[in-house]
Amino acid sequence: MGVVNLTPDSFSDGGRYLKAQDAIEHARALIADGADMLDIGAESTRPGAEPVAAAEELDRLAPVIAAIRAESAIPISVDTMKPEVARVAVAAGASLWNDVTALRWSGDSLSTAAELGCEVVLMHMRGEPRTMQAAPAYQDVVAEVSAFLVERAEAAMAAGVARGKIWLDPGIGFGKTGDHSLTLLGHLDRMVALGFPVLLGASRKSFLGKVDRKATGAGDRLGGSLAAALAGAAAGVAAVRVHDVRETVQALAVQAAIEAAAS
């Protein structure tokens, strides 16, 4: 899953693709690099991020989604917490709603997901982006995140979302310390065992700097991002959400070739 951020303030590439044409060209490059799907978002969810009005989010999103859909059949995910934005994005050609709030942002989120009939990603996050990194604490982060995701999956199904259309995301870096994120990565098999496809988003995130103190900026974290993607693949996740598509495709291909040669 290649990332297209239509934002001025995302942690990794905020502002680079704010103009629609720049975003479309970036999407084309990700497709050429081997992306299997695109995740397009117009509201930053980095720690401390301020919310964006739905109208502004749609102004950024709709033309880009429509342009990509007009020239490619690649699956498109819309990264939004707002049901009204998801509705327009799906009408424009998106087929997956990636919601960092796990359909909790609005009282209409669950019913909208059921009505749209699209796939949905339910992600774990403590609090909201503005506050999520304020002293996050868990007794057992793997058990608590797993329980939350199961509860949200059950809520979605009760609202009419088909089980086969639900994905889970442990929310690496969302309301978690570096140790919490590493622990979740080390126990991804438990997430996979919940019986839903798992999306892993660890690319370029700051927790990688806990291991490599020299990786102070997002651009310094390619090696760590690849290691996380390989760990996810080994654990059986269904997809990895990444910024560096070409490098990740190569790493996963080599991992698969090594495994095939050993069999």
Side-chain angles (χ1 to χ4, degrees):
M1 178 185 276
V3 178
V4 182
N5 285 322
L6 314 179
T7 60
D9 56 346
S10 288
F11 81 95
S12 176
D13 52 12
R16 288 188 65 186
Y17 311 115
L18 188 58
K19 293 181 180 179
Q21 192 55 43
D22 291 339
I24 294 165
E25 290 175 4
H26 180 54
R28 289 172 181 154
L30 293 177
I31 294 169
D33 284 344
D36 296 302
M37 65 181 91
L38 299 177
D39 188 50
I40 304 177
E43 179 178 33
S44 175
T45 52
R46 64 173 175 77
E50 293 295 324
V52 172
E56 183 176 358
E57 201 174 340
L58 284 169
D59 283 345
R60 298 174 185 173
L61 276 171
V64 175
I65 293 175
I68 295 168
R69 178 53 66 240
E71 62 184 58
S72 173
I74 191 168
I76 295 173
S77 161
V78 59
D79 184 354
T80 184
M81 61 185 73
K82 302 181 183 71
E84 62 268 42
V85 173
R87 188 182 299 278
V88 175
V90 169
S95 57
L96 189 152
W97 178 5
N98 183 9
D99 184 2
V100 298
T101 74
L103 301 178
R104 293 179 300 153
W105 188 83
S106 165
D108 296 329
S109 293
L110 286 166
S111 60
T112 299
E115 178 190 340
L116 292 175
C118 61
E119 295 181 80
V120 294
V121 177
L122 308 175
M123 197 195 80
H124 177 276
M125 174 176 61
R126 272 282 173 85
E128 59 181 5
R130 282 182 294 182
T131 61
M132 64 186 180
Q133 289 306 106
Y138 302 85
Q139 293 296 315
D140 183 334
V141 67
V142 178
E144 290 172 51
V145 170
S146 297
F148 170 87
L149 292 174
V150 168
E151 184 276 326
R152 294 312 299 160
E154 290 175 346
M157 289 187 287
V161 178
R163 180 185 176 90
K165 295 194 173 182
I166 296 173
W167 294 58
L168 305 180
D169 182 340
I172 301 297
F174 281 79
K176 294 153 185 96
T177 65
D179 282 336
H180 292 146
S181 291
L182 289 168
T183 299
L184 286 167
L185 281 168
H187 294 86
L188 286 171
D189 57 329
R190 288 173 58 182
M191 301 287 168
V192 172
L194 297 175
F196 298 88
V198 173
L199 174 65
L200 175 64
S203 177
R204 299 185 182 179
K205 289 188 174 177
S206 61
F207 81 95
L208 298 167
K210 180 174 179 60
V211 180
D212 178 8
R213 298 294 183 183
K214 295 180 181 179
T216 55
D220 300 325
R221 301 168 188 157
L222 175 58
S225 300
L226 294 176
L230 292 173
V237 303
V240 287
R241 181 183 183 277
V242 302
H243 301 83
D244 304 288
V245 168
R246 176 72 187 110
E247 294 83 353
T248 307
V249 167
Q250 183 183 82
L252 292 170
V254 171
Q255 180 189 49
I258 292 170
E259 291 173 353
S263 62

